[in-house]
Amino acid sequence: SVKTPEAYPTAADEAQLVRHYITSMRNLLALGILSDASGGRPIPAVVETIAITYLKRFYIRTSCLEYHPRSVM
């Protein structure tokens, strides 16, 4: 029997992709690559937490196929 590949990602695949971008966002903030536009100051931890929460909540109702996590970040 020949197995055909799935055409679309599963919910688990999409969750894994969102987790990857959350980790990437944390790494960029920790390295100071993402900083405050007004003076190069690091972004406060509260803002980081809100951004991650927003990303998670956004993908509760939206698919990664509609909006890529990099665009939402």
Side-chain angles (χ1 to χ4, degrees), residues 12-24 55-56:
D13 294 337
E14 289 192 27
Q16 182 179 4
L17 184 64
V18 171
R19 280 192 306 271
H20 168 75
Y21 276 96
I22 288 171
T23 302
S24 295
L55 192 67
K56 288 180 180 179

Side-chain angles (χ1 to χ4, degrees), residues 12-59:
D13 294 337
E14 289 192 27
Q16 182 179 4
L17 184 64
V18 171
R19 280 192 306 271
H20 168 75
Y21 276 96
I22 288 171
T23 302
S24 295
M25 185 187 311
R26 284 185 176 142
N27 291 339
L28 291 172
L29 289 168
L31 293 172
I33 294 172
L34 297 177
S35 61
D36 185 1
S38 65
R41 297 174 300 193
I43 295 177
V46 172
V47 175
E48 175 185 350
T49 304
I50 292 170
I52 291 169
T53 302
Y54 171 77
L55 192 67
K56 288 180 180 179
R57 288 183 181 176
F58 182 78
Y59 283 111

